[in-house]
Each structure stands twice: as structure tokens, then as C-alpha cells.
Amino acid sequence: MLDQARVVIIGSGIAGASIAYHLTGLGWRDIVVLEQGSLTSGTTSHAPGLVGQLRSSVSLTKMLMYSVSLYRQLHIENRPGFDEVGSLRVASSKERMEELKRQAGFARGVGLDAALLGPQETRELFPLMSLKDIEGALYLPSDGSARATILAGALLQTSCQQGATAYPYTRVRGIEVVNGRVQSVDTEQGRIRTEIVVVATGIWSPRIGHMVGISIPLIPMQHQWVMTEPLPELARTVPNLRDPDKLVYFRQDGPGLVIGGYERNPVAFEVDAIPDNANPTVHAFDDARFAGLMEASRERIPSLHNAALAKRVNGLESFTPDGEFILGEAPGLRGCWVACGFCAHGVSGSGGVGKVIADWIVQGDPGMDMWHMDIRRFGSYASSRRYISTRVHEVYSTYYDISYPALERSSARKLRLSPLYQRLTELGAVFGEKAGWERPNWFASNEHLADGQAWPRPRGWAGRYWSPAIGAEHQATRERVALFDETSFSKLEVLGPGALAFLQSITDNQMDQPPGTVTYTQMLNVRGGIECDLTVTRLAIDRFQIVTGTAFGTHDLAWMQRHMPTDGSVYINDITSGRCCIGVWGPHARALLQHVSENDFSNEAFPYLTAQQVTLGDIPALALRVTYVGELGWEIYAPTEYGLKLWDILWEAGKPLGVVAAGYSAIESLRLEKGYRYWSSDIHSEYTPYEAGLGFAVKLKKGEFLGRAALEQARSAGLTRKLCCLTLADPSAIVLGGEPLLDGDQVLGRVTSGGYGYTLRQSIAYGYLPIAHTTPGTRVEVQLFGQRYVATVMKEPLYDPTNAMIKE
């Protein structure tokens, strides 16, 4: 056995094999692949084999499209690993048909060939099916069926021909870590020195993570499928078929049919209980649990009533708390990479996963936005086995449910509570959840304030998880004053003698400002893409406070830790749980705060984008004059133990001013009118500040910083696309994100975010357009649930273009 390697990949399934294939393809040779059993065994050996490409995120869909392009080329001894038979996703209800219309638009926006079919057209492609309740189908001709072991074997075989070495029956016993960096891997066959380990061990990944003290939040689920004996009715090749309303899927395998699905009563399997035997990922079949799926499959394909079963499989598959992959370098541990949690799209995604992980390791950048799959999206709250199990049960049992964008998960709730939670509950808060935090979406008690308003109810899906209280809270913020609980915002502290130099090196704006200055900035990658979007407050010469989004704290902290100096001159602390935050915004915000404080909140004494230590009532606090809603106001930060009384003080003082409690749905509407960007949708790692309209935050003359060279090159070359604000001609047509932007038959781009502006009484959308289409007044079309709506490019911001409201 080799005693040294550039990279050690643990796991030789299709994901691990793909990573080895792509690393060697980039010229890296000293690659070792370890497998505790036979090569390409584990969950890969019993994958159902459906390869679909269309998913809910752009990046994941593109990864799966890449997988298909790769799989077309793979074979072993002239046995192909992929058959491009296409796929059908049928609608057994009118609401499902609406989903298919939305998915067809999304597919068009990402360049994936897809077509909506009527019932008869659908049966022409799949003659065995009954048309009972069928409204139509979405047909994707380039989807197909995989022989996962052939694909994995071909990838691994090519990797070894290009310089990799694979060791079967070699169990990992431990991973050595020194000063936060991987040093070696200890196996039953000996020790391998390495600085990079990739954990691609599927259901075993939490065990490997435990060896190095990191949480990999997934759990094995028992996924069952069967294969019939040869069916006489299966006279020709048919596409894969999914009937999500009946929770079942079908795939042709020679003369037989594979049948599986996602039952409402799933069963998990404890990671620590996985046996050490010849086939540890396959367990006894549970006929009773599969009975409902079998009955549903017979309803869709009546000939199955007389079909005998040739094979029954109960295989373990790894599922995560949000049903997405877990990819990337583990936060706080250099050299430990993770590629697991493939849920229901493991084989489909593994080709793309291999490319992304290899690019990430070799080039320092994955080449596309990975936020929805990045391990850094999970915080410490996701390290609880109970949390993982509870949430995964919901994810699995609802896997085939319609994915409404505003739908909230119902399990594993009330985990992280603001000190204001009880008061907000008393005020009628309707809570959502983000990163484990309970956060008010709106307050039902405010619905009566919308009486008499002419705001249209959002049409279709946009009106499903909606309340007229959103408009009332929006209006109160614009006209009076509102209080927002923002305690969930992630708060980081950067301090030390090297703090300023460090922040200067990883931000695009000028950090060398006087204490008390608040600076809006981005942190960029080597391509100039926006990795983090945040505010930095200089509290002292050597101390800064950073505020970023609720869900982005772990991601942004890991990004900074990855680039911070190692000489002890800089320390970074996560102080999120130690500080509450209340946003006080609206024309009467100054009057409210001045009423409870002896500090001077006048514009002259407390200008925009500054911070001061203040006292509100008898509460010591840090006040930042910033806004994310486009109105005069402050964010008030105080130690958590003061939070409840701080709210009560502000609430009582605000009553004569018409104060309301407001939620995050109002914030979304308010920020859209003002044109404030949201990281992970409007801006992310694939877009530069110039493309995103944030060039005002770029200070190239300040000196060297990460991404500066790419920005200089981009500025010299000129923009080819730009984020634009659009308004739809029909104010009741509300976009949800991902809809294609069209000029005739030409796809120009996709909607990044949108909603209704209650002050402007307009439907607003944002999206990136080619430069030729970015002139205000230009008309394009938005395809929304199969319908086209005229949209006009507008000069932004739509609301208060002179910033008079926020600077008065």
C-alpha cells in the first residue's frame, strides 16, 4: 500500500469514483481510493437507476445535465452504463399540472429540453399506463436509466489508468488532524500521509465525520423497490415514469419493470447499527410497508395486477435534513472534504458532483453557485441526531409532494427561540423557520389593518402562503413605524491587531474607516463572484462587528477562517446567540427612539451608516443606523438577556406613533421596492458586484484584495449581463423565482426574485439580462405557469431613488 497521497478518497461508489476520475482528469496523479468492501459496492450497488435532470435549483440541474453528458460516454467491455430513454412526470391532479407548467418554464430557463404533453400523447410514449385522473405530463427526452455499477466501474477504471490507485477491503480506522488540518489516514492496511481527504462514504459518512469531530447531518433511510418478471405488455422501450401524486416511479429493466416510491411511513436506520457483513446496505424487505406503493402502481399500470415479482430490494440510502447534497470543505477543518447525502438523486448527480469537487479542490472554486448543497449551510443545530432524524422523516415522507416555494417545514421546530418569542406569539405571529430559528413571517393580528386596501390577492401559488397582514405591515413601515425581530441575524466579531489588514484583504469596500462607521461590502472569490454580502461596523481600532443573513453565518465564518492569517493577529468569534436585534424602521423611528433615550438621534448627531453605544430606557445597546427596507431607522443590538425588556420599552413608546410588529414577508416586499439584493438568489458566487449593480461598494484603489484582479479584468472587458428590475403589466401575476425571461423564443435569463410592492402597487421581478436588453423601458416577457406576461425594465430603485427617506 502507498504510504503517501495527494488526495485520499474514502468510498469507491459512483460519487467517489467520479471524484477520482475528475481529479486525475485535471492532472493530479497521486490519488488513493479506499473501499471497506468490494470496489463500487455499498449503496451504488442497489440504486434504482432512474436518472433525472430537472431539480428545483439551477446549479443542481446543471450538475445533473453534466452527469448525463458524461454517462453517455461510459461503458465497460462495450456494456453501456446509461440508456437515454427519456422520462415522464405525470400529473394526476390539476394542482400537479400547475407544478409541471412551472417546471417546464424552469427547464427552459436552464436550457434543458422539456415538453408538456396531453394525456393521449403521454400514453403513446408509455402504453401500459391508465389515463385515469391524468391531466398531462412533462416529458424530458434526455433523461434515462443507469446501470450504476457499470458507471462507477468505468469511472474508477479510467481513474486508475490515469494514475489513481484503488484499495478494496481497506477499512479506515481514523484520520489524524493537527492544528485544524488533515495530516493522514489510518487504515487496517497502514497509514497514508495526505493533506486532503474526501469523505464519499454515503450512509457511513457520519461515522467518518465523527473521527475528525465534524457533524455530517444525514441518516440512512430504508428505500424499497421491486422488479417484475418479464411483462408481455412491455413490447418496446418506454421512458421512465414518475407519478408523484401516487408516490410511485417506474423504470424499464429489460423485459421487466422496476417499481418504487416514497411512502408516507418511512423507516430510518441508525448509522451505528449498520452491520459489518458482506452486504450491509441491503436489509429484509418489508411487504407491509410497500403494500401502499404496490397498490398505487397497479392503479397506474393495471397489468401489474397479474405480474409476478422477480426481485425485492430494501436498500439503505442517505437523506439529509433538507433533501439536498452535502458538498464542500468542512468548516473549521482544512483538507477535509465531504461529498455525500445524495438522497434521491445520487446516481443522477454523481457525475456532476465529481466535477464540482475536483474543480473546488484543484482550482479553489467549484465553478458554480453551490450554496444549496454546501455543507456550510448547516450550523451546529444540525448536529443533533434527533433533529436530523425528525426532519429527514418529514423530507422523505413528503418527497413527492408539490414543492410550494413558501411552504414551511413542520417538524423539528421551536429549536432556536429569540428572547422576544413569547411577546411575538402574544401578538399573533405566524412563524417560519430558518437555520433552526423561529422567525415571524407576519402577524395575523395585523390583518384587519388591510381592510379597505385595493391590493390584489396574489394569483395561484403566490397566494397560498400569504396574508393581507403583509401589506399592512409594509404600509405601516412606510407611513409610521414598525418593529422587526432580527435576533436571528448572524453576528460575528473580528478583533486583534491584524483585524483591519485582514478585512481589507478579503472585502471589496474600504474598511479603513473611523470607529463608529458602518460599511456595506462583499467578500469575493478569485473569479470576482460574491461569496458573502454583509455589513461591517468598526467598533474600535482593532474590533469589528459583522452582520450577515440568518442562514449564512456558518458559511461566512468558514470563508473568513479559510483566509485569515495564522500568526495569531486575528480572532473571529460567532456572537449570534449573545445578541438580540430589533429593527426600528419608518418615518417615526427617530421619534420613537428619542422618546426612550437621552442620546441624540438627530441626523446631525447620528448620521446614516454610523453606529453608537446608546441607552434605551435602562437598556445598554449598540445602535446602527442602517436599513434593509428603505426607510429611516436603526438596528438595535443588546445582550440577549435584555431583549424582552427592550422590546417592551420600544413597544410602549411606539403605541402613540401607530407602531406595528412586522415580519419577514414585509421585509421582502419592502426590499424589492428599494432594490436591495438578497444573497443566494439575486447575488451569489457566480455574479460580480458590477453585474449585480453593486459597483458603488467596490474600491479598487484601496489596494490588493481577494477578487480584485478579476474585477479589474471584468471592468476592462465590459459587462455582458446585468441584474435588472422589471415590473409586470399584470400586478396580480407574482413571480416566485426561476421563471424564464424571454424575447420571443430567445431565453434571456431567469427571474432571481420577485414579489408585490404594496407602496408602488406593482408586481416586481429581478433577473439578469444581456446588456442589449437592460435599457429602462425595454420590454421582455416572463413565462409564469405556462402563461406569458409582459414585463418592463425599470430604472432602479423604484422607491425613493434619491435616498431621501433613509438619510433625512
Side-chain angles (χ1 to χ4, degrees), residues 373-392:
M373 294 167 271
D374 196 321
I375 188 173
R376 295 171 294 178
R377 73 187 184 275
F378 293 113
S380 59
Y381 66 92
S383 62
S384 159
R385 194 69 65 85
R386 179 177 178 180
Y387 170 85
I388 298 167
S389 177
T390 303
R391 182 57 63 87
V392 166

Side-chain angles (χ1 to χ4, degrees), residues 78-136:
N78 296 321
R79 295 176 60 208
F82 177 72
D83 293 324
E84 196 165 328
V85 298
S87 76
L88 290 164
R89 188 178 182 93
V90 301
S92 299
S93 64
K94 294 186 182 300
E95 188 71 356
R96 183 71 68 176
M97 195 65 203
E98 288 299 296
E99 180 186 47
L100 297 188
K101 292 176 183 177
R102 172 170 164 77
Q103 290 176 333
F106 184 87
R108 186 174 190 180
V110 298
L112 178 61
D113 189 15
L116 288 169
L117 305 180
Q120 291 298 334
E121 294 174 295
T122 303
R123 188 157 66 177
E124 287 175 10
L125 290 173
F126 202 103
L128 282 71
M129 68 180 291
S130 163
L131 291 184
K132 181 181 179 182
D133 301 325
I134 292 292
E135 297 287 332

Side-chain angles (χ1 to χ4, degrees), residues 520-568:
Y520 171 60
T521 190
Q522 292 77 44
M523 295 179 180
L524 312 177
N525 56 39
V526 292
R527 294 181 290 114
I530 301 170
E531 288 287 345
C532 311
D533 182 68
L534 37 78
T535 59
V536 180
T537 302
R538 192 171 192 179
L539 301 176
I541 294 298
D542 59 352
R543 184 168 165 243
F544 299 79
Q545 176 177 290
I546 291 177
V547 178
T548 186
T550 298
F552 310 142
T554 301
H555 173 277
D556 293 2
L557 174 60
W559 181 259
M560 287 186 276
Q561 288 174 332
R562 185 176 185 183
H563 295 93
M564 67 187 290
T566 58
D567 59 4

Side-chain angles (χ1 to χ4, degrees), residues 203-204 206-208 210 219-220 269-276 385:
I203 61 173
W204 290 276
R207 286 188 186 180
I208 304 297
H210 183 70
I219 194 168
F269 200 92
E270 279 296 325
V271 173
D272 295 334
I274 300 173
D276 292 327
R385 194 69 65 85

Side-chain angles (χ1 to χ4, degrees), residues 605-675:
F606 207 146
Y608 182 56
L609 291 181
T610 62
Q612 296 181 27
Q613 296 290 341
V614 299
T615 301
L616 302 174
D618 50 3
I619 306 296
L622 173 68
L624 275 60
R625 189 174 167 188
V626 293
T627 181
Y628 192 55
V629 300
E631 294 294 338
L632 170 70
W634 284 259
E635 289 177 355
I636 309 298
Y637 295 86
T640 301
E641 65 268 24
Y642 292 112
L644 185 59
K645 188 170 185 181
L646 175 61
W647 175 274
D648 289 344
I649 289 171
L650 296 173
W651 184 254
E652 288 302 315
K655 284 181 177 179
L657 303 172
V659 70
V660 302
Y664 281 85
S665 296
I667 290 179
E668 177 67 7
S669 174
L670 291 158
R671 73 99 186 165
L672 283 168
E673 288 189 336
K674 188 60 179 170

Side-chain angles (χ1 to χ4, degrees), residues 2 31 50 83 135 187 198 201 240 290 357 368 386 411 437 511 569 656 747 798:
L2 294 173
I31 311 298
L50 288 79
D83 293 324
E135 297 287 332
T187 80
V198 182
T201 50
N240 297 333
F290 197 75
I357 292 294
M368 64 174 67
R386 179 177 178 180
S411 64
W437 285 97
M511 295 294 105
S569 64
V747 177
L798 297 174

